[in-house]
Amino acid sequence: MSQHLLALPIVLPMFAALVLLLLSNRISEQRQRLLSVAFTALLVLVNLVLLSHASSGELAFYALGNWQAPFGIILMLDRLSALMLTITAVLAMGCVIFACAGDDQRGAYFHGVFQLQLMGLNGAFLTGDIFNLFVFFEILLLASYALLMHGGGKARVGAGLHYVILNLAGSALFLISLGILYGATGTLNMADMARRVASMPNDQAALVTAGGLLLIVVFSLKAALLPLYFWLPRTYAAAPAPVAALFAIMTKVGLYAILRVQTLIFADSPAEDPIDAWLWWSGLATLVLAAVGVLAARDLRTLIAYLVLISVGTLLAGTALQSPAANTALLYYLPHTTLICGSLFLIAELIGQQRAKAGTRLVRARRLYQRFLLGGLFLVAAVAVAGLPPLAGALGKLMLMQAVEGNARLWLWPLLLLAGLCALVALSRAGSVLFWASYKGEVATGRVTRAQLGGVLWLLAYAPLLVIFGGPMSEYTQATARQLAQPQAVIAELLGDAPAAQATQFQAIQGESP
């Protein structure tokens, strides 16, 4: 594989964004859509090539400007980052196809900003430098602000204001934590920081622990972990359907960042135990309150947003277990819940457009014009997201339950099963109201278009595919978990065997004596 291919998931959407933003007023809407879909399809192919390369277990690194680690900007591809890149591209493909039915024209520059969002997401998954993780976080957040406001409206402006303020506070805390860690370790490269943290003297270990915990709090805000999740339901419910569907991956960026720093930087450090305790209890609390939120939701969009939170609680409670078996389970469950929750946001939009003023509120209204088509799509997505057999959601939860040991079973098993039951009850109630209790005439408008149906089917197809290819998928996630459990391999391959020489070089650059 050419080493330059590793930069394509960042360069390609950046180039696409520039083209689409510069030509937005010069080419027709149809051509903008064709370019956006073509660029996204090419991104899917590139990420599949990277996934194939990563499946061999070989680590790939790309030094921008040929400045080598730990001083240069490093992109790193392993099994985990390749998996996240592929999920993002697949989800984006369904969203952009759906948006081409008309959602993209409700505001300006949709496709260009959409590509910037992909650039930020891909950069966050590829970077090997924790400061550049902050940079890519800001890129994807700036793009998400514009996408959230796309089309305007009072609800979106209100939700967007809260979203912006919270993330600005999170960005400030991120910088503070980076300052603490850089001051204590003298580096921002993740592998180099991991090496230095492992040999940190006791008098500086407390400072590193404080910086690490603050960093986890920031990532918990991105992942929407309790008590930092209250922004999510309103934000996701107010966003345009293809944007809300793409946002299904946003919480997984926080999860990825937690998993990355937990397994690489703070493995076997004094910060490990408090981080695990925070993730465990916050994950369980998120599960409980998200289950309550699902039952209390009176709007289908809000209900789906709380389903996203149930998956967040499940994934982060699994992350806290710190075992290869638990990481295997959560990585198997992650693509399923992300793609299905994304499809549900799209299906909710299709239902809302055929219910006139009632929209997606769970009240009796006019009978759906295409009730059998929409009912079938909703049924498949509901069964999948609730975690019912034989789909991948049930298999992922079963694997996670088997990975739990000791007294942790007394907490996770009942809460996980209870959250699944609440999701099933809430979805059954929603389906009854939308498809059985609504009978007041027919709506002759709002027919599902081919682009909308294509976007939904693209995402829903992965529910059976993840079962059909469950064997290879399980093998890949097992290998990914084993790779995460061996951080020294990443450190050795990236930095080599000359830590003393690198430390001396760093001190010389800083004007210090070795």
Side-chain angles (χ1 to χ4, degrees):
M1 181 188 78
S2 171
Q3 62 172 347
H4 300 294
L5 185 62
L6 191 55
L8 268 184
I10 301 173
V11 175
L12 181 60
M14 181 180 68
F15 175 75
L18 290 174
V19 171
L20 289 166
L21 290 173
L22 291 175
L23 298 181
S24 60
N25 296 323
R26 301 181 183 180
I27 59 177
S28 65
E29 296 175 0
Q30 190 63 27
R31 289 186 177 180
Q32 290 183 48
R33 291 170 175 172
L34 287 174
L35 282 174
S36 185
V37 172
F39 279 123
T40 308
L42 184 57
L43 183 63
V44 172
L45 294 177
V46 168
N47 289 349
L48 286 174
V49 172
L50 294 176
L51 182 71
S52 176
H53 175 79
S55 64
S56 66
E58 180 182 352
L59 297 172
F61 302 99
Y62 183 75
L64 275 69
N66 203 30
W67 283 81
Q68 299 302 315
F71 309 112
I73 298 174
I74 300 296
L75 302 180
M76 181 179 73
L77 181 76
D78 62 357
R79 291 177 181 271
L80 177 60
S81 55
L83 177 64
M84 300 304 296
L85 288 173
T86 305
I87 296 171
T88 301
V90 168
L91 179 64
M93 191 67 191
C95 295
V96 75
I97 291 172
F98 187 96
C100 289
D103 289 274
D104 57 338
Q105 296 305 315
R106 295 179 181 177
Y109 308 115
F110 175 86
H111 291 290
V113 178
F114 187 90
Q115 295 295 328
L116 282 177
Q117 175 89 349
L118 296 183
M119 173 191 169
L121 289 167
N122 291 341
F125 294 138
L126 280 173
T127 184
D129 183 287
I130 200 164
F131 180 77
N132 285 289
L133 179 63
F134 168 79
V135 172
F136 285 117
F137 265 28
E138 293 308 298
I139 292 173
L140 69 90
L141 286 173
L142 286 172
S144 70
Y145 301 154
L147 290 175
L148 177 59
M149 301 292 188
H150 181 74
K154 182 178 179 180
R156 289 176 187 170
V157 172
L161 181 62
H162 294 157
Y163 178 71
V164 170
I165 291 173
L166 282 172
N167 278 288
L168 286 176
S171 297
L173 291 176
F174 200 164
L175 282 177
I176 292 171
S177 65
L178 290 183
I180 293 172
L181 291 172
Y182 181 73
T185 63
T187 185
L188 290 170
N189 180 277
M190 293 187 193
D192 193 34
M193 186 178 290
R195 171 175 278 176
R196 298 183 185 215
V197 167
S199 58
M200 188 68 61
N202 293 332
D203 58 339
Q204 295 185 8
L207 188 61
V208 171
T209 300
L213 287 173
L214 186 56
L215 199 62
I216 294 299
V217 169
V218 173
F219 295 153
S220 297
L221 173 63
K222 310 297 184 185
L225 190 66
L226 188 81
L228 306 170
Y229 81 44
F230 294 104
W231 60 270
L232 186 145
R234 186 180 179 188
T235 301
Y236 280 36
V243 175
L246 183 64
F247 279 11
I249 194 66
M250 293 282 280
T251 54
K252 311 310 184 295
V253 179
L255 168 71
Y256 168 85
I258 289 173
L259 197 58
R260 179 65 75 192
V261 301
Q262 180 193 34
T263 58
L264 180 58
I265 299 177
F266 300 114
D268 300 322
S269 75
E272 182 180 20
D273 289 339
I275 289 174
D276 291 345
W278 163 264
L279 294 176
W280 174 250
W281 295 113
S282 298
L284 294 180
T286 302
L287 259 180
V288 172
L289 292 190
V292 174
V294 164
L295 292 175
R298 293 296 179 264
D299 185 279
L300 183 58
R301 292 177 183 269
T302 306
L303 190 157
I304 300 168
Y306 277 106
L307 290 174
V308 173
L309 288 175
I310 287 179
S311 70
V312 168
T314 303
L315 292 167
L316 289 177
T319 304
L321 296 175
Q322 277 283 63
S323 70
N327 286 339
T328 298
L330 69 91
L331 291 175
Y332 184 87
Y333 178 68
L334 188 150
H336 168 85
T337 185
T338 302
L339 298 176
I340 298 304
C341 285
S343 71
L344 270 171
F345 280 114
L346 302 184
I347 293 169
E349 174 70 10
L350 300 182
I351 293 172
Q353 73 184 16
Q354 294 192 6
R355 300 186 80 229
K357 293 182 179 180
T360 55
R361 288 182 294 119
L362 299 179
V363 295
R364 293 183 179 182
R366 297 181 181 183
R367 185 167 52 180
L368 298 175
Y369 181 62
Q370 295 173 295
R371 55 191 178 277
F372 295 110
L373 172 63
L374 296 180
L377 295 175
F378 181 82
L379 177 63
V380 174
V383 168
V385 80
L388 296 181
L391 298 179
L395 296 176
K397 289 182 178 180
L398 178 60
M399 291 167 63
L400 183 58
M401 292 170 68
Q402 291 176 337
V404 182
E405 298 177 353
N407 293 332
R409 292 182 177 180
L410 301 177
W411 291 97
L412 186 60
W413 282 28
L415 293 181
L416 191 59
L417 294 174
L418 181 62
L421 177 62
C422 291
L424 183 60
V425 170
L427 289 166
S428 299
R429 182 193 63 191
S432 298
V433 171
L434 296 172
F435 300 104
W436 289 350
S438 297
Y439 52 83
K440 300 178 181 180
E442 290 191 5
V443 178
T445 59
R447 188 179 181 88
V448 176
T449 66
R450 290 183 179 178
Q452 289 174 326
L453 184 60
V456 173
L457 292 178
W458 170 265
L459 297 181
L460 273 186
Y462 291 91
L465 286 176
L466 288 173
V467 177
I468 295 171
F469 297 100
M473 183 65 185
S474 178
E475 291 174 2
Y476 185 91
T477 56
Q478 286 177 2
T480 304
R482 289 195 299 268
Q483 194 173 54
L484 289 175
Q486 300 172 345
Q488 293 303 322
V490 177
I491 297 171
E493 188 160 348
L494 178 61
L495 301 179
D497 298 321
Q502 290 169 354
T504 302
Q505 186 179 4
F506 174 79
Q507 292 170 343
I509 290 175
Q510 295 296 316
E512 301 173 1
S513 60

